[in-house]
Amino acid sequence: MPHPPHQSLQAAAVQSLQTRPAAVPKPRVADREEDGPWHAEAVCRRDEAGLFFAPSKEPTAARLAREEAAKRVCARCPVMVACREHALLQPEPYGVWGGLTAAERRVVLGRRRRRAAELLPGAAASGPVAAAG
């Protein structure tokens, strides 16, 4: 059903979520135009979202096995790099995106911040202690 032109996109999204049947799993990747067309080709759109996101109080062994299974799906995905960049730019705080867990993405973001700091003028003058991060 089309929304009135005066209704905001956010209100339309909330209304859409409220009318969605509870049995339908949450989509893995949002269907927003600003996300770009890469998500239409994502292999994970055909998989259960539970593979990519942890249930509450998941045991460590089960989490590691689930994450490895999700990474195998990502490894065969033609848009893995675009998905990963999306998750790093957002940043997505949960789940496996682009073959990386949330913890692995935090490491990548930390490395990127350190590299960016090293490229700033004056960073070389502050010595190796600052570069060690």
Side-chain angles (χ1 to χ4, degrees):
M1 180 170 109
H3 299 287
H6 64 278
Q7 189 175 18
S8 74
L9 292 175
Q10 183 177 7
V14 168
Q15 183 179 4
S16 172
L17 289 173
Q18 290 171 344
T19 59
R20 184 180 295 166
V24 176
K26 179 181 171 189
R28 165 81 167 101
V29 179
D31 287 327
R32 298 181 315 199
E33 188 58 36
E34 64 265 24
D35 283 340
W38 63 267
H39 59 81
E41 299 299 319
V43 172
C44 62
R45 290 180 66 88
R46 296 181 290 274
D47 289 310
E48 176 62 38
L51 183 62
F52 298 91
F53 295 95
S56 62
K57 299 181 182 178
E58 181 179 34
T60 301
R63 177 183 55 82
L64 293 173
R66 180 189 47 74
E67 289 173 346
E68 285 305 313
K71 288 178 178 186
R72 285 192 298 273
V73 172
C74 292
R76 67 177 197 266
C77 184
V79 294
M80 182 181 74
V81 174
C83 178
R84 179 179 295 171
E85 285 305 310
H86 161 84
L88 291 167
L89 292 173
Q90 284 303 315
E92 293 289 350
Y94 306 106
V96 175
W97 289 77
L100 297 177
T101 65
E104 291 165 337
R105 289 192 303 276
R106 285 190 295 274
V107 170
V108 170
L109 288 171
R111 287 179 184 157
R112 286 184 179 184
R113 280 191 292 274
R114 284 191 297 279
R115 277 191 220 121
E118 290 171 359
L119 296 176
L120 290 175
S126 62
V129 174

mmCIF file of all heavy atoms in Angstrom, residues 7-41:
data_model
loop_
_atom_site.group_PDB
_atom_site.id
_atom_site.type_symbol
_atom_site.label_atom_id
_atom_site.label_comp_id
_atom_site.label_asym_id
_atom_site.label_seq_id
_atom_site.Cartn_x
_atom_site.Cartn_y
_atom_site.Cartn_z
ATOM 1 N N GLN A 7 4.127 11.511 4.569
ATOM 2 C CA GLN A 7 4.636 10.601 5.596
ATOM 3 C C GLN A 7 6.137 10.411 5.405
ATOM 4 O O GLN A 7 6.616 10.166 4.312
ATOM 5 C CB GLN A 7 3.918 9.261 5.510
ATOM 6 C CG GLN A 7 4.226 8.353 6.657
ATOM 7 C CD GLN A 7 3.397 7.082 6.604
ATOM 8 O OE1 GLN A 7 2.855 6.749 5.557
ATOM 9 N NE2 GLN A 7 3.319 6.384 7.712
ATOM 10 N N SER A 8 6.886 10.532 6.480
ATOM 11 C CA SER A 8 8.337 10.408 6.374
ATOM 12 C C SER A 8 8.720 8.964 6.064
ATOM 13 O O SER A 8 7.980 8.024 6.329
ATOM 14 C CB SER A 8 9.006 10.839 7.686
ATOM 15 O OG SER A 8 8.810 9.848 8.673
ATOM 16 N N LEU A 9 9.914 8.802 5.504
ATOM 17 C CA LEU A 9 10.414 7.464 5.202
ATOM 18 C C LEU A 9 10.597 6.653 6.478
ATOM 19 O O LEU A 9 10.345 5.462 6.510
ATOM 20 C CB LEU A 9 11.734 7.555 4.440
ATOM 21 C CG LEU A 9 11.637 8.115 3.027
ATOM 22 C CD1 LEU A 9 13.026 8.270 2.440
ATOM 23 C CD2 LEU A 9 10.786 7.236 2.164
ATOM 24 N N GLN A 10 11.039 7.315 7.546
ATOM 25 C CA GLN A 10 11.237 6.602 8.799
ATOM 26 C C GLN A 10 9.909 6.078 9.326
ATOM 27 O O GLN A 10 9.816 4.938 9.752
ATOM 28 C CB GLN A 10 11.883 7.515 9.828
ATOM 29 C CG GLN A 10 12.172 6.808 11.136
ATOM 30 C CD GLN A 10 12.875 7.719 12.114
ATOM 31 O OE1 GLN A 10 13.025 8.907 11.870
ATOM 32 N NE2 GLN A 10 13.313 7.161 13.221
ATOM 33 N N ALA A 11 8.859 6.910 9.272
ATOM 34 C CA ALA A 11 7.553 6.465 9.736
ATOM 35 C C ALA A 11 7.040 5.320 8.868
ATOM 36 O O ALA A 11 6.440 4.365 9.369
ATOM 37 C CB ALA A 11 6.563 7.628 9.719
ATOM 38 N N ALA A 12 7.309 5.390 7.580
ATOM 39 C CA ALA A 12 6.890 4.316 6.678
ATOM 40 C C ALA A 12 7.615 3.019 7.013
ATOM 41 O O ALA A 12 7.024 1.943 6.992
ATOM 42 C CB ALA A 12 7.151 4.708 5.229
ATOM 43 N N ALA A 13 8.904 3.122 7.348
ATOM 44 C CA ALA A 13 9.676 1.931 7.701
ATOM 45 C C ALA A 13 9.157 1.321 8.995
ATOM 46 O O ALA A 13 9.017 0.106 9.110
ATOM 47 C CB ALA A 13 11.155 2.282 7.834
ATOM 48 N N VAL A 14 8.858 2.172 9.977
ATOM 49 C CA VAL A 14 8.335 1.675 11.244
ATOM 50 C C VAL A 14 6.998 0.988 11.022
ATOM 51 O O VAL A 14 6.743 -0.103 11.528
ATOM 52 C CB VAL A 14 8.198 2.825 12.268
ATOM 53 C CG1 VAL A 14 7.384 2.399 13.476
ATOM 54 C CG2 VAL A 14 9.572 3.306 12.686
ATOM 55 N N GLN A 15 6.133 1.621 10.227
ATOM 56 C CA GLN A 15 4.827 1.028 9.949
ATOM 57 C C GLN A 15 4.989 -0.310 9.224
ATOM 58 O O GLN A 15 4.313 -1.275 9.532
ATOM 59 C CB GLN A 15 3.977 1.971 9.114
ATOM 60 C CG GLN A 15 2.581 1.439 8.849
ATOM 61 C CD GLN A 15 1.754 2.425 8.043
ATOM 62 O OE1 GLN A 15 2.233 3.456 7.621
ATOM 63 N NE2 GLN A 15 0.511 2.083 7.836
ATOM 64 N N SER A 16 5.925 -0.371 8.291
ATOM 65 C CA SER A 16 6.166 -1.614 7.556
ATOM 66 C C SER A 16 6.614 -2.727 8.498
ATOM 67 O O SER A 16 6.170 -3.859 8.385
ATOM 68 C CB SER A 16 7.219 -1.380 6.478
ATOM 69 O OG SER A 16 7.599 -2.590 5.891
ATOM 70 N N LEU A 17 7.505 -2.388 9.444
ATOM 71 C CA LEU A 17 7.982 -3.390 10.401
ATOM 72 C C LEU A 17 6.864 -3.852 11.322
ATOM 73 O O LEU A 17 6.806 -5.009 11.711
ATOM 74 C CB LEU A 17 9.135 -2.827 11.225
ATOM 75 C CG LEU A 17 10.448 -2.647 10.482
ATOM 76 C CD1 LEU A 17 11.450 -1.934 11.357
ATOM 77 C CD2 LEU A 17 10.997 -3.980 10.018
ATOM 78 N N GLN A 18 5.972 -2.940 11.676
ATOM 79 C CA GLN A 18 4.887 -3.285 12.581
ATOM 80 C C GLN A 18 3.858 -4.179 11.917
ATOM 81 O O GLN A 18 3.210 -4.975 12.578
ATOM 82 C CB GLN A 18 4.207 -2.022 13.104
ATOM 83 C CG GLN A 18 5.087 -1.247 14.055
ATOM 84 C CD GLN A 18 4.518 0.108 14.405
ATOM 85 O OE1 GLN A 18 3.619 0.614 13.743
ATOM 86 N NE2 GLN A 18 5.059 0.710 15.451
ATOM 87 N N THR A 19 3.701 -4.065 10.610
ATOM 88 C CA THR A 19 2.706 -4.865 9.909
ATOM 89 C C THR A 19 3.280 -6.167 9.372
ATOM 90 O O THR A 19 2.544 -6.997 8.878
ATOM 91 C CB THR A 19 2.090 -4.073 8.735
ATOM 92 O OG1 THR A 19 3.126 -3.692 7.835
ATOM 93 C CG2 THR A 19 1.349 -2.855 9.244
ATOM 94 N N ARG A 20 4.593 -6.351 9.470
ATOM 95 C CA ARG A 20 5.246 -7.563 8.982
ATOM 96 C C ARG A 20 4.890 -8.738 9.902
ATOM 97 O O ARG A 20 4.964 -8.607 11.112
ATOM 98 C CB ARG A 20 6.758 -7.365 8.968
ATOM 99 C CG ARG A 20 7.504 -8.539 8.385
ATOM 100 C CD ARG A 20 8.976 -8.297 8.389
ATOM 101 N NE ARG A 20 9.263 -7.182 7.502
ATOM 102 C CZ ARG A 20 10.417 -6.554 7.476
ATOM 103 N NH1 ARG A 20 11.387 -6.904 8.258
ATOM 104 N NH2 ARG A 20 10.612 -5.556 6.659
ATOM 105 N N PRO A 21 4.529 -9.888 9.347
ATOM 106 C CA PRO A 21 4.231 -11.048 10.201
ATOM 107 C C PRO A 21 5.456 -11.444 11.021
ATOM 108 O O PRO A 21 6.579 -11.363 10.555
ATOM 109 C CB PRO A 21 3.873 -12.159 9.207
ATOM 110 C CG PRO A 21 3.618 -11.479 7.913
ATOM 111 C CD PRO A 21 4.333 -10.168 7.938
ATOM 112 N N ALA A 22 5.226 -11.882 12.246
ATOM 113 C CA ALA A 22 6.320 -12.215 13.161
ATOM 114 C C ALA A 22 7.140 -13.405 12.671
ATOM 115 O O ALA A 22 8.299 -13.536 12.998
ATOM 116 C CB ALA A 22 5.760 -12.500 14.546
ATOM 117 N N ALA A 23 6.564 -14.311 11.876
ATOM 118 C CA ALA A 23 7.258 -15.511 11.434
ATOM 119 C C ALA A 23 8.297 -15.222 10.355
ATOM 120 O O ALA A 23 9.160 -16.033 10.100
ATOM 121 C CB ALA A 23 6.255 -16.531 10.909
ATOM 122 N N VAL A 24 8.231 -14.054 9.712
ATOM 123 C CA VAL A 24 9.169 -13.718 8.640
ATOM 124 C C VAL A 24 10.457 -13.213 9.269
ATOM 125 O O VAL A 24 10.435 -12.278 10.056
ATOM 126 C CB VAL A 24 8.569 -12.633 7.710
ATOM 127 C CG1 VAL A 24 9.567 -12.209 6.661
ATOM 128 C CG2 VAL A 24 7.290 -13.129 7.084
ATOM 129 N N PRO A 25 11.606 -13.839 8.971
ATOM 130 C CA PRO A 25 12.858 -13.378 9.567
ATOM 131 C C PRO A 25 13.223 -11.991 9.056
ATOM 132 O O PRO A 25 12.892 -11.628 7.939
ATOM 133 C CB PRO A 25 13.888 -14.418 9.121
ATOM 134 C CG PRO A 25 13.292 -15.086 7.944
ATOM 135 C CD PRO A 25 11.801 -14.979 8.086
ATOM 136 N N LYS A 26 13.924 -11.239 9.897
ATOM 137 C CA LYS A 26 14.388 -9.912 9.526
ATOM 138 C C LYS A 26 15.344 -10.042 8.347
ATOM 139 O O LYS A 26 16.203 -10.923 8.345
ATOM 140 C CB LYS A 26 15.107 -9.287 10.719
ATOM 141 C CG LYS A 26 15.663 -7.923 10.449
ATOM 142 C CD LYS A 26 16.370 -7.413 11.688
ATOM 143 C CE LYS A 26 17.117 -6.132 11.355
ATOM 144 N NZ LYS A 26 17.975 -5.713 12.425
ATOM 145 N N PRO A 27 15.230 -9.185 7.323
ATOM 146 C CA PRO A 27 16.137 -9.286 6.175
ATOM 147 C C PRO A 27 17.582 -9.089 6.610
ATOM 148 O O PRO A 27 17.862 -8.316 7.516
ATOM 149 C CB PRO A 27 15.692 -8.143 5.257
ATOM 150 C CG PRO A 27 14.396 -7.674 5.763
ATOM 151 C CD PRO A 27 14.254 -8.125 7.174
ATOM 152 N N ARG A 28 18.497 -9.796 5.988
ATOM 153 C CA ARG A 28 19.922 -9.722 6.311
ATOM 154 C C ARG A 28 20.471 -8.343 6.002
ATOM 155 O O ARG A 28 21.247 -7.780 6.730
ATOM 156 C CB ARG A 28 20.654 -10.801 5.506
ATOM 157 C CG ARG A 28 22.145 -10.630 5.438
ATOM 158 C CD ARG A 28 22.811 -11.150 6.697
ATOM 159 N NE ARG A 28 24.218 -11.234 6.459
ATOM 160 C CZ ARG A 28 25.087 -10.342 6.892
ATOM 161 N NH1 ARG A 28 24.697 -9.333 7.591
ATOM 162 N NH2 ARG A 28 26.358 -10.479 6.627
ATOM 163 N N VAL A 29 20.075 -7.776 4.875
ATOM 164 C CA VAL A 29 20.579 -6.490 4.430
ATOM 165 C C VAL A 29 19.389 -5.596 4.167
ATOM 166 O O VAL A 29 18.422 -6.006 3.536
ATOM 167 C CB VAL A 29 21.420 -6.644 3.137
ATOM 168 C CG1 VAL A 29 21.913 -5.297 2.659
ATOM 169 C CG2 VAL A 29 22.579 -7.585 3.362
ATOM 170 N N ALA A 30 19.452 -4.377 4.637
ATOM 171 C CA ALA A 30 18.328 -3.456 4.476
ATOM 172 C C ALA A 30 18.074 -3.151 3.007
ATOM 173 O O ALA A 30 18.995 -3.076 2.201
ATOM 174 C CB ALA A 30 18.614 -2.155 5.224
ATOM 175 N N ASP A 31 16.808 -3.001 2.654
ATOM 176 C CA ASP A 31 16.427 -2.678 1.288
ATOM 177 C C ASP A 31 16.295 -1.172 1.123
ATOM 178 O O ASP A 31 15.252 -0.652 0.753
ATOM 179 C CB ASP A 31 15.089 -3.354 0.933
ATOM 180 C CG ASP A 31 15.245 -4.843 0.752
ATOM 181 O OD1 ASP A 31 16.309 -5.256 0.292
ATOM 182 O OD2 ASP A 31 14.294 -5.571 1.058
ATOM 183 N N ARG A 32 17.365 -0.458 1.402
ATOM 184 C CA ARG A 32 17.352 0.992 1.256
ATOM 185 C C ARG A 32 18.183 1.344 0.038
ATOM 186 O O ARG A 32 19.255 0.800 -0.172
ATOM 187 C CB ARG A 32 17.947 1.666 2.489
ATOM 188 C CG ARG A 32 17.159 1.375 3.745
ATOM 189 C CD ARG A 32 17.761 2.081 4.910
ATOM 190 N NE ARG A 32 19.215 1.915 4.891
ATOM 191 C CZ ARG A 32 19.987 2.100 5.937
ATOM 192 N NH1 ARG A 32 19.481 2.448 7.062
ATOM 193 N NH2 ARG A 32 21.290 1.936 5.858
ATOM 194 N N GLU A 33 17.696 2.291 -0.728
ATOM 195 C CA GLU A 33 18.378 2.692 -1.948
ATOM 196 C C GLU A 33 19.774 3.231 -1.659
ATOM 197 O O GLU A 33 20.705 3.009 -2.424
ATOM 198 C CB GLU A 33 17.556 3.742 -2.701
ATOM 199 C CG GLU A 33 18.091 4.075 -4.071
ATOM 200 C CD GLU A 33 18.195 2.879 -5.009
ATOM 201 O OE1 GLU A 33 17.332 2.007 -4.957
ATOM 202 O OE2 GLU A 33 19.150 2.834 -5.798
ATOM 203 N N GLU A 34 19.956 3.946 -0.513
ATOM 204 C CA GLU A 34 21.264 4.518 -0.230
ATOM 205 C C GLU A 34 22.321 3.459 0.071
ATOM 206 O O GLU A 34 23.496 3.741 0.072
ATOM 207 C CB GLU A 34 21.189 5.549 0.906
ATOM 208 C CG GLU A 34 20.786 4.983 2.238
ATOM 209 C CD GLU A 34 19.303 5.104 2.531
ATOM 210 O OE1 GLU A 34 18.505 5.207 1.574
ATOM 211 O OE2 GLU A 34 18.940 5.098 3.706
ATOM 212 N N ASP A 35 21.909 2.224 0.339
ATOM 213 C CA ASP A 35 22.872 1.152 0.548
ATOM 214 C C ASP A 35 23.539 0.739 -0.759
ATOM 215 O O ASP A 35 24.538 0.066 -0.750
ATOM 216 C CB ASP A 35 22.199 -0.079 1.163
ATOM 217 C CG ASP A 35 21.929 0.102 2.636
ATOM 218 O OD1 ASP A 35 22.564 0.969 3.254
ATOM 219 O OD2 ASP A 35 21.074 -0.609 3.160
ATOM 220 N N GLY A 36 22.954 1.107 -1.863
ATOM 221 C CA GLY A 36 23.509 0.757 -3.155
ATOM 222 C C GLY A 36 22.955 -0.561 -3.651
ATOM 223 O O GLY A 36 22.321 -1.307 -2.919
ATOM 224 N N PRO A 37 23.210 -0.863 -4.920
ATOM 225 C CA PRO A 37 22.635 -2.060 -5.522
ATOM 226 C C PRO A 37 23.327 -3.364 -5.142
ATOM 227 O O PRO A 37 22.841 -4.425 -5.474
ATOM 228 C CB PRO A 37 22.795 -1.786 -7.019
ATOM 229 C CG PRO A 37 23.982 -0.899 -7.101
ATOM 230 C CD PRO A 37 23.955 -0.056 -5.852
ATOM 231 N N TRP A 38 24.422 -3.313 -4.423
ATOM 232 C CA TRP A 38 25.177 -4.526 -4.125
ATOM 233 C C TRP A 38 24.352 -5.542 -3.355
ATOM 234 O O TRP A 38 24.511 -6.740 -3.553
ATOM 235 C CB TRP A 38 26.462 -4.209 -3.356
ATOM 236 C CG TRP A 38 26.234 -3.603 -2.010
ATOM 237 C CD1 TRP A 38 26.188 -2.272 -1.714
ATOM 238 C CD2 TRP A 38 26.010 -4.288 -0.782
ATOM 239 N NE1 TRP A 38 25.944 -2.092 -0.392
ATOM 240 C CE2 TRP A 38 25.831 -3.316 0.212
ATOM 241 C CE3 TRP A 38 25.941 -5.625 -0.431
ATOM 242 C CZ2 TRP A 38 25.583 -3.634 1.539
ATOM 243 C CZ3 TRP A 38 25.699 -5.950 0.893
ATOM 244 C CH2 TRP A 38 25.526 -4.972 1.858
ATOM 245 N N HIS A 39 23.462 -5.099 -2.496
ATOM 246 C CA HIS A 39 22.741 -6.032 -1.624
ATOM 247 C C HIS A 39 21.802 -6.957 -2.377
ATOM 248 O O HIS A 39 21.476 -8.034 -1.897
ATOM 249 C CB HIS A 39 21.984 -5.288 -0.520
ATOM 250 C CG HIS A 39 20.984 -4.309 -1.029
ATOM 251 N ND1 HIS A 39 19.736 -4.664 -1.451
ATOM 252 C CD2 HIS A 39 21.082 -2.971 -1.187
ATOM 253 C CE1 HIS A 39 19.090 -3.587 -1.842
ATOM 254 N NE2 HIS A 39 19.886 -2.553 -1.691
ATOM 255 N N ALA A 40 21.392 -6.572 -3.567
ATOM 256 C CA ALA A 40 20.502 -7.430 -4.355
ATOM 257 C C ALA A 40 21.208 -8.721 -4.779
ATOM 258 O O ALA A 40 20.556 -9.747 -4.981
ATOM 259 C CB ALA A 40 19.997 -6.682 -5.581
ATOM 260 N N GLU A 41 22.524 -8.680 -4.904
ATOM 261 C CA GLU A 41 23.296 -9.844 -5.334
ATOM 262 C C GLU A 41 23.884 -10.643 -4.171
ATOM 263 O O GLU A 41 24.575 -11.629 -4.390
ATOM 264 C CB GLU A 41 24.436 -9.388 -6.255
ATOM 265 C CG GLU A 41 23.960 -8.691 -7.514
ATOM 266 C CD GLU A 41 23.089 -9.594 -8.380
ATOM 267 O OE1 GLU A 41 23.417 -10.785 -8.525
ATOM 268 O OE2 GLU A 41 22.081 -9.097 -8.897
#
